[in-house]
Amino acid sequence: LLSNILDVGAKLRDIHEYLEYAFYGLSALLVYFLVINPLRVIVFSPTFTVDAMLSDDNKRHKIYRDAAKVLISNENITDEEKELLKSKIHNSKELKAALQTVFNQSIRANINEAIVKNSKSVLITTALSQNGNLDMLSVIIINLKMIREIVELSGFRPSYPYLAKLSLNVLVTSLIAEGIEEIDFTEYMPTKLGETLTDLPFVKTISSSIIGGVSNSMLTCRVGVITQMYLYNDN
């Protein structure tokens, strides 16, 4: 990202030095809002981890109660679910069941909707783009945005070990997005179909873009599902 910004800045310097400075300023703002801020939201959100071996019922109830308070302030669950949590907050077993109900209804539905929405964004962006570097940056930015939305919708982030695994998944997905642009998909199609597409360059370009967009979209969907799985493993 930095090398691309510096490369464009150097070209703008040939036009006017103030144009170069303006570009660097705009780039700094975009990097903050598209990369740094989503990371800040993710890392500094509360985590909700219940140790399966925890035998102290009072400690377990305290964890459930703290989690319920976070969810009660969550704008993404219904008023009925908030009232359910409030009514069960003093009973450990009933509160656990209430938390499970809220996670498996509104929160799960909202997370699934966010995953589909961001996967569509990746499909459109990478299908239209004909540049591997741009595809890689788009996938990183949209995946970060999706993870941030999932964290905001649930009110919690995965634990740090899971965040580390999630970071690796996002990195691999973005690198694959960069490499997909260089793949000639006609080589993997039935011979007659591949030859037909090769003879029609415009159709070949469109089909390759669509296949690349769908592949990146499915990988983004996978990252979203993994994020949700990590949240539910902890919670």
Side-chain angles (χ1 to χ4, degrees), residues 37-99:
N37 190 53
L39 285 172
R40 180 190 63 80
V41 172
I42 294 166
V43 170
F44 290 104
S45 293
T47 187
F48 169 31
T49 305
V50 181
D51 189 344
M53 303 302 292
L54 193 65
S55 58
D56 190 325
D57 289 339
N58 290 329
K59 288 182 180 178
R60 190 184 292 272
H61 184 212
K62 183 180 184 305
I63 294 171
Y64 290 148
R65 193 169 63 245
D66 290 344
K69 289 176 181 177
V70 172
L71 287 175
I72 289 169
S73 63
N74 190 333
E75 297 178 356
N76 299 296
I77 67 173
T78 64
D79 291 337
E80 290 78 8
E81 288 169 333
K82 290 180 181 180
E83 289 302 320
L84 175 65
L85 292 173
K86 289 177 182 176
S87 65
K88 308 296 185 184
I89 203 164
H90 298 297
N91 186 308
S92 180
K93 290 184 179 179
E94 291 184 0
L95 181 57
K96 178 184 177 182
L99 287 168

Side-chain angles (χ1 to χ4, degrees), residues 142-198:
I142 295 174
N143 273 258
L144 282 177
K145 173 176 170 288
M146 175 179 67
I147 295 169
R148 187 203 72 200
E149 288 180 6
I150 292 173
V151 168
E152 289 177 334
L153 287 168
S154 66
F156 303 96
R157 62 164 173 81
S159 60
Y160 284 123
Y162 280 141
L163 278 182
K165 293 180 181 179
L166 200 54
S167 300
L168 185 60
N169 273 281
V170 173
L171 175 62
V172 170
T173 300
S174 64
L175 292 175
I176 292 173
E178 183 185 28
I180 282 177
E181 192 64 40
E182 307 300 324
I183 296 175
D184 183 0
F185 289 102
T186 58
E187 294 180 4
Y188 304 97
M189 294 179 178
T191 306
K192 292 294 183 183
L193 179 59
E195 290 174 353
T196 302
L197 291 177
T198 303

